[in-house]
Amino acid sequence: MPIIEAKNLEKTYEGEAGAASTQALKGATLNIEEGEFVAIMGPSGSGKSTLLHILGFLDKQSGGTYKFNGKVIDEFDDEELAKVRNAEMGFVFQAFNLLPKATVLENIRLPLMYSGVDEKTWNTLADEAIEAVGLSNRTHHLASQLSGGEKQRAAIARALVMKPKVIFADEPTGNLDSKSGQSVMKIIQDLNENHGHTIVLITHETYTAEHAQRIIKLKDGAIESDEKVGHRHKADEYIK
């Protein structure tokens, strides 16, 4: 059973003060199996971020159906959606979204504060996530003291700390130089291949998308193609 099942998803944003409405998604249908690494590509305005927001429970579709882990999300109330999102989904954004005056450890602990996880285990879980992204030497540094690549690794650790089934990464290399970007992609590939996390990556870069197993291309709110990657890039091939 796919972990993500979306059928004929539509999303319309109503215009304000008589302005015309905008249809951001037009009948998008896709399935993602548990353990897959899927990249979603498209130019600006193609609907890829809208699709990610719906798949990640950050927004609701205007039409169509969406099942996550076999459950129709329309049957969940807001509290249930928040619980599932916190427990089973991790998010990595282009802008990092770290608290600059908090330490790496404090940033990584944040999702645990909104969970039912025993507080006695928070530091252990956070340390495990920090170690997984190679930031143990920065645990007590402020987020503002980190380089761009280190900030994104901290953001990945925060996404990992609840041991989610799916990690949504929205342009995770967009603010990074090529070497830092490759380091981040190596971590993301490792999470998929060696730890079993399902990855949904949003990117406008073909090179970055080709680290995935499969690429879905969007155009004008509709799925234009959905194909397996013939030759996958391996991030560690480029890191010396």
Side-chain angles (χ1 to χ4, degrees), residues 181-200:
Q182 285 298 329
S183 295
V184 164
M185 290 309 302
K186 182 180 187 300
I187 291 168
I188 291 173
Q189 277 190 328
D190 179 66
L191 293 174
N192 172 249
E193 294 177 2
N194 298 319
H195 299 278
H197 292 283
T198 305
I199 308 290
V200 181

PDB file of all heavy atoms in Angstrom, residues 181-200:
ATOM      1  N   GLY A 181      25.813  21.951  -0.827  1.00  0.00           N
ATOM      2  CA  GLY A 181      24.631  21.301  -1.392  1.00  0.00           C
ATOM      3  C   GLY A 181      24.843  19.813  -1.571  1.00  0.00           C
ATOM      4  O   GLY A 181      23.960  19.005  -1.281  1.00  0.00           O
ATOM      5  N   GLN A 182      26.032  19.428  -2.043  1.00  0.00           N
ATOM      6  CA  GLN A 182      26.335  18.011  -2.207  1.00  0.00           C
ATOM      7  C   GLN A 182      26.364  17.291  -0.862  1.00  0.00           C
ATOM      8  O   GLN A 182      25.904  16.150  -0.749  1.00  0.00           O
ATOM      9  CB  GLN A 182      27.669  17.831  -2.924  1.00  0.00           C
ATOM     10  CG  GLN A 182      27.611  18.112  -4.422  1.00  0.00           C
ATOM     11  CD  GLN A 182      26.668  17.150  -5.135  1.00  0.00           C
ATOM     12  OE1 GLN A 182      26.499  16.008  -4.732  1.00  0.00           O
ATOM     13  NE2 GLN A 182      26.045  17.626  -6.193  1.00  0.00           N
ATOM     14  N   SER A 183      26.886  17.946   0.164  1.00  0.00           N
ATOM     15  CA  SER A 183      26.913  17.338   1.498  1.00  0.00           C
ATOM     16  C   SER A 183      25.492  17.090   2.003  1.00  0.00           C
ATOM     17  O   SER A 183      25.208  16.040   2.597  1.00  0.00           O
ATOM     18  CB  SER A 183      27.667  18.238   2.483  1.00  0.00           C
ATOM     19  OG  SER A 183      29.026  18.358   2.124  1.00  0.00           O
ATOM     20  N   VAL A 184      24.618  18.047   1.761  1.00  0.00           N
ATOM     21  CA  VAL A 184      23.219  17.891   2.176  1.00  0.00           C
ATOM     22  C   VAL A 184      22.545  16.766   1.396  1.00  0.00           C
ATOM     23  O   VAL A 184      21.822  15.944   1.966  1.00  0.00           O
ATOM     24  CB  VAL A 184      22.466  19.234   1.997  1.00  0.00           C
ATOM     25  CG1 VAL A 184      20.954  19.029   2.043  1.00  0.00           C
ATOM     26  CG2 VAL A 184      22.901  20.216   3.083  1.00  0.00           C
ATOM     27  N   MET A 185      22.790  16.691   0.086  1.00  0.00           N
ATOM     28  CA  MET A 185      22.184  15.629  -0.714  1.00  0.00           C
ATOM     29  C   MET A 185      22.719  14.255  -0.306  1.00  0.00           C
ATOM     30  O   MET A 185      21.983  13.256  -0.358  1.00  0.00           O
ATOM     31  CB  MET A 185      22.417  15.868  -2.203  1.00  0.00           C
ATOM     32  CG  MET A 185      21.639  17.053  -2.766  1.00  0.00           C
ATOM     33  SD  MET A 185      19.867  17.026  -2.369  1.00  0.00           S
ATOM     34  CE  MET A 185      19.371  15.455  -3.082  1.00  0.00           C
ATOM     35  N   LYS A 186      23.970  14.189   0.099  1.00  0.00           N
ATOM     36  CA  LYS A 186      24.531  12.917   0.581  1.00  0.00           C
ATOM     37  C   LYS A 186      23.773  12.446   1.817  1.00  0.00           C
ATOM     38  O   LYS A 186      23.434  11.255   1.946  1.00  0.00           O
ATOM     39  CB  LYS A 186      26.010  13.070   0.900  1.00  0.00           C
ATOM     40  CG  LYS A 186      26.675  11.766   1.354  1.00  0.00           C
ATOM     41  CD  LYS A 186      28.149  11.992   1.647  1.00  0.00           C
ATOM     42  CE  LYS A 186      28.852  10.656   1.946  1.00  0.00           C
ATOM     43  NZ  LYS A 186      28.281   9.948   3.102  1.00  0.00           N
ATOM     44  N   ILE A 187      23.484  13.366   2.737  1.00  0.00           N
ATOM     45  CA  ILE A 187      22.734  13.019   3.943  1.00  0.00           C
ATOM     46  C   ILE A 187      21.330  12.547   3.581  1.00  0.00           C
ATOM     47  O   ILE A 187      20.833  11.532   4.094  1.00  0.00           O
ATOM     48  CB  ILE A 187      22.674  14.220   4.907  1.00  0.00           C
ATOM     49  CG1 ILE A 187      24.062  14.502   5.489  1.00  0.00           C
ATOM     50  CG2 ILE A 187      21.677  13.967   6.043  1.00  0.00           C
ATOM     51  CD1 ILE A 187      24.171  15.818   6.216  1.00  0.00           C
ATOM     52  N   ILE A 188      20.684  13.268   2.667  1.00  0.00           N
ATOM     53  CA  ILE A 188      19.324  12.909   2.282  1.00  0.00           C
ATOM     54  C   ILE A 188      19.288  11.534   1.614  1.00  0.00           C
ATOM     55  O   ILE A 188      18.412  10.705   1.894  1.00  0.00           O
ATOM     56  CB  ILE A 188      18.719  13.996   1.376  1.00  0.00           C
ATOM     57  CG1 ILE A 188      18.466  15.277   2.199  1.00  0.00           C
ATOM     58  CG2 ILE A 188      17.421  13.524   0.717  1.00  0.00           C
ATOM     59  CD1 ILE A 188      18.026  16.476   1.382  1.00  0.00           C
ATOM     60  N   GLN A 189      20.246  11.274   0.720  1.00  0.00           N
ATOM     61  CA  GLN A 189      20.315   9.957   0.095  1.00  0.00           C
ATOM     62  C   GLN A 189      20.549   8.859   1.139  1.00  0.00           C
ATOM     63  O   GLN A 189      19.940   7.791   1.075  1.00  0.00           O
ATOM     64  CB  GLN A 189      21.440   9.918  -0.940  1.00  0.00           C
ATOM     65  CG  GLN A 189      21.027  10.494  -2.288  1.00  0.00           C
ATOM     66  CD  GLN A 189      22.079  10.231  -3.358  1.00  0.00           C
ATOM     67  OE1 GLN A 189      23.275  10.172  -3.072  1.00  0.00           O
ATOM     68  NE2 GLN A 189      21.637  10.085  -4.584  1.00  0.00           N
ATOM     69  N   ASP A 190      21.416   9.123   2.094  1.00  0.00           N
ATOM     70  CA  ASP A 190      21.712   8.141   3.133  1.00  0.00           C
ATOM     71  C   ASP A 190      20.474   7.838   3.971  1.00  0.00           C
ATOM     72  O   ASP A 190      20.213   6.679   4.323  1.00  0.00           O
ATOM     73  CB  ASP A 190      22.843   8.654   4.028  1.00  0.00           C
ATOM     74  CG  ASP A 190      23.185   7.672   5.143  1.00  0.00           C
ATOM     75  OD1 ASP A 190      23.684   6.575   4.833  1.00  0.00           O
ATOM     76  OD2 ASP A 190      22.933   7.998   6.316  1.00  0.00           O
ATOM     77  N   LEU A 191      19.700   8.858   4.292  1.00  0.00           N
ATOM     78  CA  LEU A 191      18.474   8.660   5.067  1.00  0.00           C
ATOM     79  C   LEU A 191      17.506   7.751   4.327  1.00  0.00           C
ATOM     80  O   LEU A 191      16.800   6.938   4.928  1.00  0.00           O
ATOM     81  CB  LEU A 191      17.803  10.007   5.361  1.00  0.00           C
ATOM     82  CG  LEU A 191      18.569  10.952   6.289  1.00  0.00           C
ATOM     83  CD1 LEU A 191      17.862  12.297   6.383  1.00  0.00           C
ATOM     84  CD2 LEU A 191      18.736  10.325   7.668  1.00  0.00           C
ATOM     85  N   ASN A 192      17.488   7.881   3.004  1.00  0.00           N
ATOM     86  CA  ASN A 192      16.610   7.035   2.189  1.00  0.00           C
ATOM     87  C   ASN A 192      17.167   5.624   2.051  1.00  0.00           C
ATOM     88  O   ASN A 192      16.472   4.631   2.326  1.00  0.00           O
ATOM     89  CB  ASN A 192      16.416   7.676   0.820  1.00  0.00           C
ATOM     90  CG  ASN A 192      15.685   6.773  -0.148  1.00  0.00           C
ATOM     91  OD1 ASN A 192      16.264   6.284  -1.120  1.00  0.00           O
ATOM     92  ND2 ASN A 192      14.409   6.522   0.098  1.00  0.00           N
ATOM     93  N   GLU A 193      18.410   5.513   1.649  1.00  0.00           N
ATOM     94  CA  GLU A 193      18.965   4.209   1.283  1.00  0.00           C
ATOM     95  C   GLU A 193      19.323   3.349   2.489  1.00  0.00           C
ATOM     96  O   GLU A 193      19.163   2.127   2.452  1.00  0.00           O
ATOM     97  CB  GLU A 193      20.196   4.402   0.402  1.00  0.00           C
ATOM     98  CG  GLU A 193      19.868   5.022  -0.953  1.00  0.00           C
ATOM     99  CD  GLU A 193      21.104   5.282  -1.798  1.00  0.00           C
ATOM    100  OE1 GLU A 193      22.221   4.942  -1.336  1.00  0.00           O
ATOM    101  OE2 GLU A 193      20.955   5.818  -2.904  1.00  0.00           O
ATOM    102  N   ASN A 194      19.793   3.972   3.553  1.00  0.00           N
ATOM    103  CA  ASN A 194      20.286   3.195   4.695  1.00  0.00           C
ATOM    104  C   ASN A 194      19.384   3.236   5.919  1.00  0.00           C
ATOM    105  O   ASN A 194      19.558   2.441   6.844  1.00  0.00           O
ATOM    106  CB  ASN A 194      21.696   3.669   5.080  1.00  0.00           C
ATOM    107  CG  ASN A 194      22.690   3.455   3.945  1.00  0.00           C
ATOM    108  OD1 ASN A 194      22.661   2.435   3.269  1.00  0.00           O
ATOM    109  ND2 ASN A 194      23.548   4.439   3.717  1.00  0.00           N
ATOM    110  N   HIS A 195      18.429   4.160   5.935  1.00  0.00           N
ATOM    111  CA  HIS A 195      17.545   4.277   7.102  1.00  0.00           C
ATOM    112  C   HIS A 195      16.063   4.147   6.739  1.00  0.00           C
ATOM    113  O   HIS A 195      15.214   4.192   7.623  1.00  0.00           O
ATOM    114  CB  HIS A 195      17.812   5.597   7.830  1.00  0.00           C
ATOM    115  CG  HIS A 195      19.217   5.719   8.334  1.00  0.00           C
ATOM    116  ND1 HIS A 195      19.646   5.156   9.516  1.00  0.00           N
ATOM    117  CD2 HIS A 195      20.321   6.291   7.783  1.00  0.00           C
ATOM    118  CE1 HIS A 195      20.933   5.400   9.691  1.00  0.00           C
ATOM    119  NE2 HIS A 195      21.368   6.088   8.652  1.00  0.00           N
ATOM    120  N   GLY A 196      15.767   4.023   5.455  1.00  0.00           N
ATOM    121  CA  GLY A 196      14.410   3.703   5.034  1.00  0.00           C
ATOM    122  C   GLY A 196      13.413   4.836   5.005  1.00  0.00           C
ATOM    123  O   GLY A 196      12.212   4.599   4.833  1.00  0.00           O
ATOM    124  N   HIS A 197      13.875   6.084   5.172  1.00  0.00           N
ATOM    125  CA  HIS A 197      12.931   7.196   5.139  1.00  0.00           C
ATOM    126  C   HIS A 197      12.417   7.430   3.717  1.00  0.00           C
ATOM    127  O   HIS A 197      13.191   7.406   2.749  1.00  0.00           O
ATOM    128  CB  HIS A 197      13.593   8.493   5.631  1.00  0.00           C
ATOM    129  CG  HIS A 197      13.928   8.481   7.088  1.00  0.00           C
ATOM    130  ND1 HIS A 197      12.992   8.671   8.075  1.00  0.00           N
ATOM    131  CD2 HIS A 197      15.105   8.296   7.733  1.00  0.00           C
ATOM    132  CE1 HIS A 197      13.570   8.621   9.261  1.00  0.00           C
ATOM    133  NE2 HIS A 197      14.856   8.382   9.075  1.00  0.00           N
ATOM    134  N   THR A 198      11.132   7.656   3.595  1.00  0.00           N
ATOM    135  CA  THR A 198      10.555   8.104   2.331  1.00  0.00           C
ATOM    136  C   THR A 198      10.911   9.581   2.164  1.00  0.00           C
ATOM    137  O   THR A 198      10.732  10.373   3.089  1.00  0.00           O
ATOM    138  CB  THR A 198       9.025   7.938   2.337  1.00  0.00           C
ATOM    139  OG1 THR A 198       8.712   6.578   2.659  1.00  0.00           O
ATOM    140  CG2 THR A 198       8.420   8.302   0.996  1.00  0.00           C
ATOM    141  N   ILE A 199      11.418   9.950   0.988  1.00  0.00           N
ATOM    142  CA  ILE A 199      11.829  11.341   0.735  1.00  0.00           C
ATOM    143  C   ILE A 199      10.996  11.911  -0.398  1.00  0.00           C
ATOM    144  O   ILE A 199      10.873  11.292  -1.464  1.00  0.00           O
ATOM    145  CB  ILE A 199      13.317  11.432   0.338  1.00  0.00           C
ATOM    146  CG1 ILE A 199      14.227  10.716   1.349  1.00  0.00           C
ATOM    147  CG2 ILE A 199      13.728  12.895   0.155  1.00  0.00           C
ATOM    148  CD1 ILE A 199      14.346  11.367   2.696  1.00  0.00           C
ATOM    149  N   VAL A 200      10.430  13.098  -0.172  1.00  0.00           N
ATOM    150  CA  VAL A 200       9.766  13.859  -1.231  1.00  0.00           C
ATOM    151  C   VAL A 200      10.514  15.180  -1.347  1.00  0.00           C
ATOM    152  O   VAL A 200      10.470  16.015  -0.441  1.00  0.00           O
ATOM    153  CB  VAL A 200       8.275  14.095  -0.929  1.00  0.00           C
ATOM    154  CG1 VAL A 200       7.624  14.879  -2.066  1.00  0.00           C
ATOM    155  CG2 VAL A 200       7.553  12.763  -0.718  1.00  0.00           C
TER     156      VAL A 200
END
